[in-house]
Amino acid sequence: MEPFVTLKAVAAVLDRPNVDTDLIIPKQFLKRIERSGFGRFLFNDLRFKTDGTENPDFILNQPAYRGAGILVSRENFGCGSSREHAPWALMDYGFRAVISPSFGDIFKNNSFKNGLLPIELPAGRVSELMKLIGDNPGLTLEIDLPAQAVRGPKGFRADFEIDAFRKELLLNGWDDISLTLKKEDLIQAYEEGHNRPWQAAVV
Amino acid sequence: MASLLEKIWEAHVVDRAPGQPDLLYIDRHLIHEVTSPQAFEGLKAAGRRVRRPDLTFGVIDHSIPTDDRRRPLKDEVAEAQLAALEKNQAEFGLKVFFGADDPRQGVIHVTMPEQGLTLPGGTVVCGDSHTATHGAFGAVSFGIGSSEVEHVLATQTLYQYKPRELAVEAAGRLAPGVAAKDLILQIIHALGVGGGSGYAIEYMGEGVRALSMESRMTLANMSIECGAKMGLIAPDELTVEYVRGRPFAPQGRDFDEAARWWQTLFTDPGHHFARAVTVEAAQVVPRVTWGTNPAQSVGLEDRAPAPDSFDDPIERLAAEKALAYQGLKPGTKMSDVPVDYVFIGSCTNGRIEDLREAARIMRGRKVAANVTVLVAPGSGPVKAQAEKEGLAAVFVEAGCQWRYPGCSMCLGMNPDLAPAGKRCASTSNRNFEGRQGRDSRTHLVSPASAAAAAVRGRLTDPRNFCLAD
């Protein structure tokens, strides 16, 4: 995973609550067996008409937002299915951070694992940010992970909370499997103490 | 005064350090063809092995067709997914795999409990959000992403923070004609679509204790639909008897010893939950979703709400978008809404009890003109049982399509889709935009309500049929 330290990118607004992972990447595109190449299917049903041409009304099809790297949305972003294809699609498209008042649990975990930063801000701050972006289309936000802050034009600044463990993994781009494999002796000891057929064994 | 969750959680902690999530041991890792290929690719790239191929259990369910299953599948990409899991299970030496032609194959959350792989007091994970289903046994079970699948394959553990605890009490018992599906839709409606985020739910109370294991699975299954990480039910005598004798469950003395431990798995009186909610189970009526998230439901005899009726601006916005997508005017009587498709099946409602409920209404009746009905049993054994009991014949005589087991129309990752603009009464778990096919409209209901809709051609309170019978 690539480390995430700071990010300066154009922010786009998707003003709806409960953006589920089916909306982020419809299931007909989940059949690839790779992690890459999902970006062109991101928000497929919103981005493209049924004939496959672009829907000009959709935010990411508007010139000011084509290169957006930060997505700002409403409550419960990423709810629904556990598909990691959702953060894969967002990242493959070019997003590195999503700002929302709250996230679906599995989506949030999946995002951290891939270096896509989910930032939770209070609903009022998100509304404020949406208005700021609406008034200044194509504006750039700066995300400073060490300082845990989002900065924007006109003195906008919002501080955010992040779990220290996940922050460290992100800042260093660490793969947690290699961290866990260092605990092999502990895992083995656990297994030796739990080797019955209703525990870490099967009939 | 430990809770059910704490008792199981503490029994699985491999490592605990301040400021870090717990490293939890995973007893049963369930995998399927959609979320596992990238995890195996990751293992290969890093030269890693599957640590416990004997605790990793595979099944084919999401993308397999439910009619023509001849290989190679017509859909090349689905074929590639099936082939990838088959190859990976052989290459990494997985011991138990229910492949496309195995008589035990089925929807993963139906098959694994049926085979006795889901046990009380254990930890179960799967790259699928409906893994919450196994909580019905009093197992800590939750959905994970593909990177976490890879982590479990490599280490048989996962880093996890213990969620906050939410007690949901069902006071009183469900009335006749009202199903566990109606109860969970009521609970999700009460909590809101994100209301369970960050929580592990424990379902309790008379209304839960009175439910069969199949119904408990329906209840636990949809915990994720209010954002909860899991939904637990304390094991009791019914749970123990359900597990006894199943192929992969402990046998003989091992079983007795296990069962003695399982009986200690309950929340001690006086335990403090971070939050507690009571639902009057006796007051619950058959429900239906009118919108595009599972919290947007009303009674089948009620009307679609007006966006103005929501005080919260976010809910109002969600209602406006949902009504527009669903093509419903505020105030529409739900029982006046015609349906084009009916789907009976899924990890929520594809078990034998569900098929019995649906068949009870279908028996001696015909599917309404212009309604297409798919019945996809949850597993091979469910299919065989339904055929033996004559349920399959009831469905076929009524005019339904009797299919092979699989996820089918629940998620439209296989050929079973509803066309654009068409309306489907579905026993599945999600009514998101495009879930059953682009621009199709889903109404979540119980199996009895789905059967009633199939017969009448409109959304219907099943008590109009079943109480009269």
Side-chain angles (χ1 to χ4, degrees):
Chain A
M1 180 173 86
E2 255 181 69
F4 188 118
V5 184
T6 57
L7 170 70
K8 271 187 194 169
V10 169
V13 171
L14 188 57
D15 189 6
R16 51 194 288 164
N18 308 314
V19 172
D20 57 72
T21 54
D22 278 73
L23 200 64
I24 298 172
I25 178 142
K27 56 256 134 211
Q28 62 268 33
F29 306 118
L30 299 190
K31 289 186 192 156
R32 297 170 61 81
I33 54 176
E34 301 86 26
R35 286 176 202 247
S36 56
F38 290 100
R40 63 198 159 106
F41 310 122
L42 178 72
F43 295 123
N44 182 77
D45 293 4
L46 299 176
R47 235 167 103 200
F48 303 105
K49 300 185 200 166
T50 38
D51 64 7
T53 59
E54 281 190 358
N55 171 10
D57 297 334
F58 185 59
I59 188 80
L60 298 182
N61 292 334
Q62 295 168 13
Y65 299 104
R66 286 216 180 247
I70 300 169
L71 189 63
V72 184
S73 191
R74 297 284 185 188
E75 280 80 356
N76 205 25
F77 187 92
C79 63
S81 145
S82 68
R83 61 189 68 157
E84 198 158 317
H85 311 66
W88 292 335
L90 284 161
M91 290 197 71
D92 193 49
Y93 181 88
F95 287 107
R96 291 297 311 273
V98 183
I99 300 173
S100 160
S102 58
F103 291 93
D105 225 34
I106 310 177
F107 174 83
K108 191 159 78 175
N109 279 337
N110 287 341
S111 298
F112 278 121
K113 298 271 183 186
N114 289 279
L116 176 72
L117 179 60
I119 298 177
E120 279 166 325
L121 292 182
R125 299 306 316 263
V126 170
S127 293
E128 202 184 312
L129 195 51
M130 284 185 173
K131 184 169 184 308
L132 184 68
I133 296 166
D135 293 345
N136 305 275
L139 70 75
T140 297
L141 290 180
E142 186 187 349
I143 295 171
D144 182 342
L145 180 57
Q148 298 182 203
V150 180
R151 298 189 199 96
K154 304 189 194 291
F156 180 88
R157 178 185 166 122
D159 296 324
F160 61 89
E161 295 293 318
I162 181 173
D163 170 65
F165 180 70
R166 282 165 165 163
K167 182 178 174 181
E168 199 186 351
L169 292 180
L170 276 178
L171 286 172
N172 295 291
W174 281 337
D175 153 20
D176 59 357
I177 295 179
S178 28
L179 292 182
T180 308
L181 287 172
K182 290 181 188 153
K183 299 183 175 175
E184 170 60 29
D185 53 335
L186 292 175
I187 300 171
Q188 205 175 332
Y190 181 91
E191 286 173 333
E192 281 163 11
H194 297 79
N195 59 0
R196 308 301 302 277
W198 59 93
Q199 299 170 327
V202 175
V203 195
Chain B
M1 289 188 291
S3 66
L4 170 62
L5 171 68
E6 287 169 346
K7 288 176 184 178
I8 303 169
W9 191 279
E10 292 304 318
H12 289 87
V13 175
V14 173
D15 188 31
R16 176 172 281 165
Q20 287 193 11
D22 288 341
L23 188 64
L24 272 196
Y25 197 83
I26 302 303
D27 296 329
R28 305 286 185 264
H29 184 196
L30 317 181
I31 60 169
H32 62 80
E33 74 274 24
V34 176
T35 54
S36 69
Q38 293 87 355
F40 282 111
E41 279 309 309
L43 281 191
K44 276 180 221 170
R48 290 169 178 149
R49 65 191 175 109
V50 173
R51 180 184 172 80
R52 290 298 298 267
D54 58 328
L55 298 183
T56 309
F57 306 93
V59 71
I60 300 275
D61 62 356
H62 279 61
S63 48
I64 191 167
T66 58
D67 47 4
D68 183 359
R69 314 177 124 190
R70 277 171 299 178
R71 303 289 294 272
L73 301 176
K74 282 189 206 118
D75 178 344
E76 285 172 24
V77 208
E79 176 60 35
Q81 281 185 326
L82 262 63
L85 184 51
E86 287 161 350
K87 184 165 162 283
N88 286 326
Q89 74 91 20
E91 201 172 318
F92 287 90
L94 307 197
K95 301 269 187 282
V96 180
F97 176 64
F98 308 117
D101 52 1
D102 190 297
R104 299 165 294 182
Q105 176 269 340
V107 183
I108 197 159
H109 308 306
V110 177
T111 294
M112 299 302 175
E114 192 170 70
Q115 291 302 320
L117 283 163
T118 305
L119 299 176
T123 47
V124 182
V125 298
C126 173
D128 187 279
S129 60
H130 293 105
T131 307
T133 311
H134 310 268
F137 291 79
V140 165
S141 56
F142 50 90
I144 57 178
S146 298
S147 293
E148 290 176 309
V149 169
E150 186 180 337
H151 192 280
V152 180
L153 289 173
T155 69
Q156 203 60 28
T157 64
L158 261 189
Y159 282 107
Q160 289 293 317
Y161 288 102
K162 189 163 58 184
R164 287 172 290 169
E165 294 180 282
L166 165 60
V168 174
E169 184 183 356
R173 290 176 181 226
L174 292 176
V178 183
K181 181 66 160 285
D182 302 311
L183 175 60
I184 189 62
L185 286 174
Q186 176 77 56
I187 291 170
I188 296 164
H189 176 71
L191 291 171
V193 68
S197 284
Y199 287 100
I201 296 176
E202 182 179 341
Y203 299 101
M204 51 180 69
E206 190 192 354
V208 174
R209 294 262 76 87
L211 296 177
S212 67
M213 283 312 295
E214 284 87 352
S215 285
R216 291 180 191 184
M217 284 188 253
T218 302
L219 194 65
N221 172 273
M222 287 186 70
S223 300
I224 182 70
E225 306 309 337
C226 63
K229 189 163 183 90
M230 61 185 98
L232 295 168
I233 298 172
D236 58 12
E237 203 50 44
L238 192 67
T239 321
V240 171
E241 291 315 309
Y242 182 95
V243 175
R244 189 191 296 277
R246 293 196 178 259
F248 293 91
Q251 309 289 336
R253 276 192 199 166
D254 282 340
F255 185 85
D256 297 338
E257 196 183 327
R260 276 197 294 278
W261 179 55
W262 297 341
Q263 304 272 18
T264 69
L265 299 174
F266 53 83
T267 294
D268 295 329
H271 174 79
H272 175 76
F273 284 85
R275 195 175 158 208
V277 173
T278 299
V279 172
E280 298 296 332
Q283 308 299 320
V284 175
V285 297
R287 293 185 75 82
V288 60
T289 57
W290 52 266
T292 53
N293 76 53
Q296 292 172 321
S297 70
V298 290
L300 265 161
E301 301 286 2
D302 293 335
R303 295 169 185 274
D308 294 347
S309 66
F310 295 95
D311 294 333
D312 177 45
I314 296 297
E315 278 189 56
R316 205 179 308 140
L317 175 66
E320 273 167 24
K321 285 195 186 291
L323 288 166
Y325 180 86
Q326 294 284 61
L328 288 178
K329 289 199 176 66
T332 305
K333 207 167 181 305
M334 293 311 293
S335 57
D336 286 343
V337 175
V339 300
D340 308 291
Y341 282 76
V342 171
F343 171 60
I344 299 173
S346 85
C347 61
T348 310
N349 280 131
R351 299 181 181 81
I352 191 69
E353 175 186 283
D354 301 312
L355 300 188
R356 287 179 189 139
E357 286 301 308
R360 208 150 68 90
I361 287 181
M362 292 258 187
R363 185 166 283 122
R365 297 195 171 94
K366 291 282 179 206
V367 168
N370 305 320
V371 179
T372 303
V373 185
L374 259 73
V375 186
S379 72
V382 169
K383 181 170 186 284
Q385 179 69 20
E387 285 166 356
K388 192 173 134 198
E389 288 181 23
L391 309 180
V394 169
F395 292 128
V396 170
E397 279 161 27
C400 307
Q401 300 178 28
W402 177 245
R403 295 297 189 89
Y404 286 103
C407 297
S408 186
M409 261 185 107
C410 173
L411 84 172
M413 268 200 67
N414 50 65
D416 303 345
L417 292 165
K422 297 294 181 187
R423 213 176 273 288
C424 180
S426 180
T427 67
S428 53
N429 40 53
R430 288 201 172 122
N431 51 338
F432 296 154
E433 289 187 16
R435 176 78 178 177
Q436 296 188 296
R438 182 167 180 162
D439 296 327
S440 69
R441 294 157 174 167
T442 302
H443 295 281
L444 301 178
V445 290
S446 75
S449 300
V455 168
R456 191 167 154 261
R458 290 169 189 279
L459 295 171
T460 299
D461 186 326
R463 292 176 299 182
N464 293 326
F465 290 101
C466 61
L467 296 187
D469 283 352

